[in-house]
Amino acid sequence: RRHSLSRAIPRPTDPTGPRHTPPVDTMKLLYFPILARNVLAEVLAKDKQIALDVAAPDWPKYKPDTLFGQLPQLECELAGKCCQSMAIARLLARRANALGETEQDFMQSEMLLEKFVELYDCLIASNVYGVGTPFDKVETTRISLQQHLAHMETMVDASRGTVGDIACVCAVLIASKFGVGEITKHAPKVLAYYESKKEILDAACGSYEAWFKPVTKAAN
């Protein structure tokens, strides 16, 4: 008798897999005290109550001790070293069961993470290292930020709280010097979510310097 593949192989009801039980592990995030590639990991850890130490290493002296010669780097006593900001965020999300309960939640969270990366790349593209976004590029950058956050608006779900949802809040924080009200002009749900997480944001990154900021007037 022939059997169909669908009957022979049971399909899980949740394609993201069973809920993950995180190990008891000591973790340290290494980065600089600025609002940049560290923000998502730190805010996610604070929001999900994951124990995470944060430190700024002696740089570039510490560079040979990193996996790829760059930061951020997450150092776990049991799991080892994890480099790349989005890999770190996904690892923390896995430990917090914040990847999404259903396949749709997982898909939307992943799309929000990719949009977060695009928004970050937009900031990098117009940024002059250590200075900010030149005056003549500020308005076009602000419009791009509005567009990225408007896209996030279509999927963000504050009640769900996946890593992708948290990334929307972090995007606003990282780009906040461009005007929170202005960049969320077409993203009222994102703005409301951001405002509801102000205490978490302040606790995680409140003392950090903004890295991405507009230069307020043209150079002579």
Side-chain angles (χ1 to χ4, degrees), residues 113-142:
L113 285 177
E114 293 302 322
K115 181 53 67 173
F116 173 80
V117 171
E118 288 182 9
L119 183 146
Y120 196 93
D121 287 346
C122 162
L123 288 168
I124 289 177
S126 68
N127 187 62
V128 175
Y129 188 89
V131 176
T133 297
F135 182 79
D136 61 341
K137 295 182 179 179
V138 169
E139 191 55 32
T140 55
T141 300
R142 186 176 285 122

Side-chain angles (χ1 to χ4, degrees), residues 7-18:
R7 293 184 61 185
I9 302 176
R11 298 180 183 277
T13 55
D14 179 8
T16 63

Side-chain angles (χ1 to χ4, degrees), residues 1 21 45 58 60 74 83 93 100 113 116 129 134 137 151 160 187 191 195 200 220:
R1 182 181 176 184
T21 301
D58 184 0
L74 181 69
C83 198
L113 285 177
F116 173 80
Y129 188 89
K137 295 182 179 179
H151 290 157
R160 183 175 56 191
L191 176 59
E195 291 178 339
I200 295 290
N220 294 330

